[in-house]
């Protein structure tokens, strides 16, 4: 169980680093179009300056998501065994893939478009948590 939870933490940390870079740039670029962001983020703050608070929130949030997904993977590997889809546990990987697709559907509905950054982050999320995390957990056992 420890290996799966630790693998989730590691993947959450890796994703938080990537998320920080993309989210900081996206927030600064959206500041001119979104009135709330124009009030919340001062005009003299750059993406690099914004990366510090974003990274603190991202680290806490994404590592927590990783810990939860590590526990879910452990439960799936115990109760729903079976490799497939290029993963040691196809039901877990399918669940992560469907969660990513659901997120994209919500973003497409809300924003009426899908920025390439959102597509990239979602694909990375699915790759890290759906495929890399199960292999890392398996290697740690």
């Amino acid at each position: 169980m420890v290996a799966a939870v630790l693998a989730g933490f590691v993947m959450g940390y890796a994703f938080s680093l990537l998320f920080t870079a993309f989210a900081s740039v996206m927030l600064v670029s959206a500041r001119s179009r979104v009135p709330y962001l124009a009030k919340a983020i001062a005009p003299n703050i750059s993406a690099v300056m914004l990366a510090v608070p974003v990274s603190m929130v991202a680290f806490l949030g994404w590592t927590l998501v990783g810990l939860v997904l590590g526990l879910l993977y452990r439960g799936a590997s115990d109760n729903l065994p079976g490799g497939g889809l290029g993963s040691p546990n196809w039901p877990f990987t399918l669940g992560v893939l469907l969660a990513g697709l659901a997120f994209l559907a919500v973003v497409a509905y809300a924003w009426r478009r899908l920025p390439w950054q959102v597509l990239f982050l979602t694909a990375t999320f699915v790759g890290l948590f759906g495929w890399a995390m199960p292999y890392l957990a398996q290697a740690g056992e």
Side-chain angles (χ1 to χ4, degrees), residues 7-13 15 62-63 65-67 69-70 73 92-93 96 124-134:
F9 179 84
V10 168
M11 292 303 146
Y13 182 70
F15 189 73
W62 288 115
T63 54
V65 167
L67 291 172
L69 286 174
Y73 170 72
F92 176 78
T93 300
V96 172
T124 304
F125 172 85
V126 171
L128 283 176
F129 289 108
W131 278 277
M133 187 184 76

Side-chain angles (χ1 to χ4, degrees), residues 100-122:
L101 291 174
F103 172 75
L104 287 178
V106 168
V107 169
Y109 179 75
W111 290 356
R112 304 284 185 236
R113 64 185 180 92
L114 281 172
W116 70 269
Q117 297 96 335
V118 173
L119 290 170
F120 180 77
L121 283 174
T122 304

Side-chain angles (χ1 to χ4, degrees), residues 4-111:
V5 173
L6 187 59
F9 179 84
V10 168
M11 292 303 146
Y13 182 70
F15 189 73
S16 74
L17 294 174
L18 189 64
F19 179 84
T20 297
F22 279 88
S24 299
V25 172
M26 288 176 66
L27 285 171
V28 168
S29 67
R31 178 176 48 197
S32 63
R33 296 185 314 270
V34 180
Y36 174 75
L37 290 177
K39 291 178 187 174
I41 303 171
N44 61 341
I45 299 218
S46 68
V48 174
M49 294 168 72
L50 191 61
V52 172
V54 169
S55 69
M56 292 165 65
V57 172
F59 172 74
L60 292 173
W62 288 115
T63 54
L64 179 62
V65 167
L67 291 172
V68 170
L69 286 174
L71 287 171
L72 288 173
Y73 170 72
R74 181 60 185 194
S77 65
D78 287 346
N79 298 314
L80 301 168
L85 296 175
S87 170
N89 189 276
W90 73 265
F92 176 78
T93 300
L94 183 63
V96 172
L97 180 62
L98 291 175
L101 291 174
F103 172 75
L104 287 178
V106 168
V107 169
Y109 179 75
W111 290 356

